[in-house]
Amino acid sequence: MTSESTVIRGVCPYGEEPVDFVIAGGVIAEIVKAGTGAGRVIDGSDLIALPGFVDVHTHLREPGHEDAETVETGSRAAALGGFTAVFAMANTSPVADTAGVVEQVWHLGQETGLVDVIPVGAVTVGLGGEHLAELGAMATSVAQVRMFSDDGKCVHDAAIMRRALEYVKAFDGVIAQHAQEPRLTVDAQMNEGALSGQLGLTGWPSVAEESIVARDVLLAEHVNSRLHVCHVSTAGSVDVIRWAKSRGIKVTAEVTPHHLLLTEDLVASYDPVYKVNPPLRTRADIAALRAALADGTIDAIATDHAPHPHEDKDCEWAAAAFGMLGLQTSFSIAVLTMIDSGLLDWRALADRMSVRPARIGHAVGHGHDLVVGVPANICVVDPAASWVVEPLTFVSKSRNSPYSGMTLPGKVVHVFKAGKATVVDGGLAW
Amino acid sequence: MRHLLSAGDLDVDSACLILDTAAQLASVTDRSVKKLPTLRGRTVVNLFFEDSTRTRISFEIAAKRLSADVINFVAKSSSVSKGESLKDTALTLEAMGADAVVIRHSSSGAPHRLATAGWIQGSVVNAGDGTHEHPTQALLDAFTLRHHLRDGTGDLAGLRVAIVGDILHSRVARSNVLLLRTLGAHATVVAPPTLLPYGVNEWPCSVSYDLDEVLPNVDAVMMLRVQTERMQAAYFPSVNEYSRRYGLDIRRMGLLPPHAIILHPGPMNRGMEISADVADSTRAVMAEQVANGVSIRMAVLYLLLGGMSEDDRKGL
């Protein structure tokens, strides 16, 4: 190998037998017996190599809300979280509903270069739910948008949703739906249940999600198009998606780390750090979501990373913004909920955090199994490490993490994006 | 006790202490000089983000009868107007040295947040938060029930109380259900199913859709205000239909046992949840509720701000 090659020495791909990964020319050039690879050595002993994570659901807030996050700070958070590609949702200001805005976001991502920032285009103009945005223009722009979403708002009009699903077939696009029936969730603040009644907070009933998921899978079947369900939060939605998949409907789904771990009981504190949309649900929902992620009914873990300036959380519940940070904690929550519980092994975790999300959004070059010849998008993690969450130390511009003070298992140690180290020894490479 | 945020935070002893203290303090109201020096030099802020002249005046009179300095701070709700935030208002009050903050807010949990977010050191009294709780209302209702249906002492063991109306949106109902349970009484909430919260079957009370069936078996009935706007959101079809099915009129009053009393937290919608004849009948105790409200709020401020000294007791 040439002097430009890098060797990850003695690392265990998917937690299996240790090997040396030789990285050169942006790809995995060789996988050889541990200790035999040549090049600049990065120690991988006792560490696990996984394909770089792909997040199909982040809010990087730029343009328009740079007080909460920018493409650069969001990229830094993503890299530290083990990601090599993230999808940036369209609810910016202006909304990413034109080729111009998605190209701007794409260029900002390229300039930072820590992860591939893949813009998501809005489905409707201004997220207004009435007129289709120029989906084709976004698809053929330099950003090559394939995933479209009005996330934050539901495409609630059935006729618009049908047309959107049909229209994106022309360029193999996918509609990512924020499933929330608006009339059933007017002023909704938390999961509807006995606790919402007790706390006097307007309920966000499960059925408001499930009824949209049910409608959308049937629409996707009718027009034979691709549907992706964002942040599935209820056991009922899982049942509907499982049924749809068994029927051969082209539906994929994601679950957030927080919906895999946190329950609505936290809302009793009235601390808005737990205010999120869809809301935290119940233990039974968590069990169903974990089981669905384990059996593949849910395809991906996606963070729904939603930064907010401190003042939008340091207030009374009703006045607070919805959303939680996720990029820097996603891997650890996945370890805690899915690996430590025995529900997923490392290979399956790689499937849910890299392979399938990359496939859902057509993240070119990402989500490949760690074999010779593929782009070297690699995340190296320490499964034995643990760390205490201190949001003030996050590289994100915001600190609205619900895990503050918690000790979490698993740590991201090194990350390579297209062969270039972005994270070394747990710190950013630049 | 440092704050009063929820009726559910009170155990039977602390609830009875408040009721007993209120009974003692009520005697002040009967004097020609209606004033005790107890809270002289202490500052009580009435922080009202939502209009409620009745409740604010009640707290104001209570604090003044205890010689506290009272400041009324009427603010716009930050969730609506994006004016000064709750936090900045709290920091301002803290800097000015408020010993107690009585807060009314349209956002459920705002008093809880004020008490726990580390913004202020003083005591927080919940004077009604969104659709969550209104603990002093429940205390004054318990005080009224105890006066009429018990001998004015002890708890409310065995008492049967119907709470009728918009349970879903009522902070009065929530606080009453919790406090009545603590005091040993049995509550039944009565409403059309649309005006009952999801999960009400897990509340420590009975649930009924049929007012006529409930009335013969209660010692008291609390009628709640029903806002006619609820009709727009399809909670019920019309004022007339609501009134026919859940309004307390003369015929329904006749179903009550002879000793039963009628309460209403006010303000009443005469002709909606309660007919004028019933509201003006001798079994209706609304005026007493208002008077008792002052005594209860005196007791709460008294106990939160340090309780009674020996001199105070002698002065009673």
Side-chain angles (χ1 to χ4, degrees):
Chain A
M1 278 296 133
T2 67
S3 60
E4 281 129 56
S5 61
T6 301
V7 180
I8 310 175
R9 177 85 76 208
V11 73
C12 303
Y14 309 102
E16 293 156 12
E17 289 307 302
V19 296
D20 282 3
F21 278 95
V22 182
I23 299 167
V27 301
I28 299 175
E30 286 184 289
I31 301 175
V32 296
K33 189 166 175 285
T36 64
R40 189 171 68 90
V41 172
I42 287 182
D43 185 19
S45 50
D46 300 323
L47 304 179
I48 292 174
L50 302 169
F53 303 143
V54 176
D55 190 346
V56 290
H57 194 144
T58 71
H59 298 272
L60 302 187
R61 302 297 188 214
E62 192 175 6
H65 303 290
E66 293 84 355
D67 54 336
E69 198 79 285
T70 63
V71 171
E72 185 188 345
T73 59
S75 295
R76 291 160 70 86
L80 286 178
F83 295 92
T84 51
V86 299
F87 287 72
M89 279 295 174
N91 61 339
T92 48
S93 180
V95 171
D97 57 2
T98 62
V101 178
V102 294
E103 288 195 350
Q104 180 195 358
V105 172
W106 184 84
H107 281 298
L108 287 166
Q110 292 293 306
E111 279 168 26
T112 302
L114 287 163
V115 295
D116 281 340
V117 175
I118 305 170
V120 175
V123 177
T124 64
V125 174
L127 309 178
E130 291 182 355
H131 306 287
L132 279 191
E134 290 189 348
L135 310 181
M138 291 189 270
T140 52
S141 74
V142 63
Q144 295 189 56
V145 176
R146 288 295 177 276
M147 179 181 271
F148 300 90
S149 181
D150 278 359
D151 182 64
K153 294 197 175 162
C154 180
V155 182
H156 61 90
D157 183 316
I160 298 286
M161 186 63 184
R162 175 206 167 134
R163 295 296 175 226
L165 283 165
E166 285 177 311
Y167 194 80
V168 298
K169 283 165 48 171
F171 33 84
D172 194 22
V174 60
I175 304 295
Q177 175 71 294
H178 172 116
Q180 176 180 5
E181 211 295 313
R183 294 283 295 136
L184 289 174
T185 50
V186 175
D187 297 330
Q189 299 291 323
M190 69 171 291
N191 179 50
E192 183 165 274
L195 187 62
S196 63
Q198 185 190 322
L199 295 176
L201 292 172
T202 306
W204 198 130
S206 300
V207 64
E209 176 173 303
E210 293 150 5
S211 59
I212 293 292
V213 174
R215 181 201 75 177
D216 286 353
V217 296
L218 293 171
L219 284 173
E221 177 177 48
H222 184 62
V223 302
N224 189 30
S225 186
R226 259 195 333 129
L227 170 72
H228 177 70
V229 185
C230 296
H231 41 53
V232 173
S233 72
T234 79
S237 296
V238 165
D239 287 342
V240 174
I241 293 163
R242 191 174 280 127
W243 171 85
K245 286 193 165 183
S246 75
R247 253 170 102 89
I249 297 170
K250 291 188 272 188
V251 58
T252 54
E254 69 188 39
V255 62
T256 70
H258 47 274
H259 287 115
L260 290 172
L261 181 65
L262 307 177
T263 66
E264 61 168 359
D265 303 311
L266 293 162
V267 179
S269 68
Y270 289 107
D271 185 339
V273 78
Y274 302 115
K275 183 173 177 178
V276 65
N277 187 9
L280 301 178
R281 304 282 186 189
T282 67
R283 272 182 196 291
D285 293 306
I286 285 179
L289 293 167
R290 290 184 184 185
L293 186 63
D295 73 18
T297 300
I298 292 176
D299 301 84
I301 295 174
T303 63
D304 195 5
H305 179 81
H308 289 290
H310 189 54
E311 65 270 21
D312 286 352
K313 287 291 191 180
D314 195 24
C315 56
E316 64 274 26
W317 183 275
F322 289 98
M324 298 174 168
L325 298 185
L327 285 169
Q328 287 182 251
T329 46
S330 179
F331 169 68
S332 288
I333 301 298
V335 172
L336 179 65
T337 59
M338 302 305 292
I339 297 283
D340 289 356
S341 63
L343 285 166
L344 290 182
D345 60 19
W346 292 103
R347 207 170 263 278
L349 186 79
D351 180 67
R352 308 299 194 272
M353 290 192 71
S354 178
V355 179
R356 288 214 225 181
R359 203 183 298 149
I360 290 165
H362 288 306
V364 177
H366 296 274
H368 291 287
D369 284 335
L370 297 175
V371 295
V372 172
V374 303
N377 292 311
I378 303 171
C379 174
V380 179
V381 300
D382 183 348
S386 64
W387 58 295
V388 177
V389 180
E390 294 173 51
L392 284 171
T393 67
F394 282 1
V395 295
S396 169
K397 272 191 139 181
S398 297
R399 44 185 146 138
N400 51 304
S401 169
Y403 312 112
S404 182
M406 285 177 67
T407 302
L408 297 181
K411 223 171 168 175
V412 174
V413 182
H414 311 300
V415 182
F416 294 84
K417 198 207 112 191
K420 197 168 167 187
T422 54
V423 174
V424 178
D425 293 328
L428 289 166
W430 74 87
Chain B
M1 189 166 72
R2 170 135 176 257
H3 308 293
L4 179 61
L5 304 176
S6 162
D9 295 340
L10 299 171
D11 58 19
V12 65
D13 289 339
S14 53
C16 284
L17 176 63
I18 294 171
L19 298 180
D20 294 342
T21 306
Q24 283 183 283
L25 291 168
S27 65
V28 174
T29 305
D30 301 331
R31 300 179 185 178
S32 55
V33 177
K34 299 180 175 60
K35 210 139 174 139
L36 284 180
T38 320
L39 298 185
R40 197 159 50 202
R42 316 298 294 277
T43 303
V44 175
V45 176
N46 286 326
L47 178 57
F48 275 56
F49 287 89
E50 199 181 62
D51 290 336
S52 175
T53 310
R54 305 160 65 98
T55 304
R56 183 181 58 73
I57 288 175
S58 182
F59 270 105
E60 184 170 353
I61 292 175
K64 284 181 169 169
R65 285 195 181 154
L66 296 172
S67 303
D69 294 322
V70 183
I71 308 297
N72 290 311
F73 192 117
V74 180
K76 286 251 165 61
S77 182
S78 64
S79 56
V80 181
S81 68
K82 281 281 170 193
E84 186 175 49
S85 70
L86 178 61
K87 179 183 179 178
D88 287 325
T89 305
L91 294 176
T92 302
L93 299 179
E94 175 69 7
M96 292 178 179
D99 296 297
V101 177
V102 176
I103 178 174
R104 162 69 65 103
H105 202 288
S106 59
S107 173
S108 297
H112 194 278
R113 201 75 184 118
L114 192 61
T116 59
W119 302 329
I120 60 169
Q121 301 297 315
S123 293
V124 176
V125 180
N126 181 359
D129 61 329
T131 55
H132 179 223
E133 284 213 43
H134 194 358
T136 58
Q137 178 71 42
L139 285 162
L140 76 87
D141 288 338
F143 189 88
T144 308
L145 292 168
R146 196 171 80 152
H147 174 73
H148 275 273
L149 301 167
R150 294 292 181 263
D151 59 1
T153 60
D155 61 17
L156 299 174
L159 201 74
R160 301 159 302 167
V161 182
I163 306 173
V164 186
D166 186 355
I167 309 296
L168 177 62
H169 300 96
S170 175
R171 49 196 171 210
V172 175
R174 281 171 182 75
S175 287
N176 262 305
V177 165
L178 292 170
L179 187 65
L180 287 170
R181 193 263 313 259
T182 300
L183 292 172
H186 182 80
T188 302
V189 293
V190 186
T194 46
L195 290 177
L196 289 166
Y198 188 91
V200 71
N201 52 317
E202 293 179 35
W203 287 21
C205 63
S206 303
V207 179
S208 174
Y209 308 139
D210 187 343
L211 183 54
D212 285 354
E213 192 180 87
V214 169
L215 289 176
N217 303 307
V218 296
D219 304 303
V221 55
M222 287 180 190
M223 303 306 296
L224 302 175
R225 178 179 172 80
V226 177
Q227 295 178 333
T228 49
E229 303 93 274
R230 302 293 178 212
M231 204 169 64
Q232 311 306 328
Y235 288 107
F236 53 89
S238 71
V239 170
N240 281 344
E241 169 139 331
Y242 181 85
S243 189
R244 272 197 303 273
R245 293 177 66 84
Y246 295 98
L248 190 61
D249 56 12
I250 287 289
R251 178 189 70 80
R252 285 212 170 97
M253 187 166 75
L255 298 174
L256 287 166
H259 67 275
I261 60 169
I262 297 161
L263 298 88
H264 193 299
M268 289 184 279
N269 283 315
R270 288 173 184 250
M272 175 77 175
E273 72 269 4
I274 191 164
S275 74
D277 292 340
V278 172
D280 296 333
S281 78
T282 55
R283 306 176 73 169
V285 296
M286 279 68 104
E288 286 174 52
Q289 286 175 274
V290 173
N292 294 338
V294 175
S295 303
I296 284 292
R297 284 156 187 147
M298 286 171 77
V300 167
L301 291 171
Y302 212 103
L303 293 168
L304 287 180
L305 294 180
M308 272 191 241
S309 70
E310 273 310 300
D311 286 350
D312 296 333
R313 288 184 194 281
K314 282 180 208 148
L316 283 173

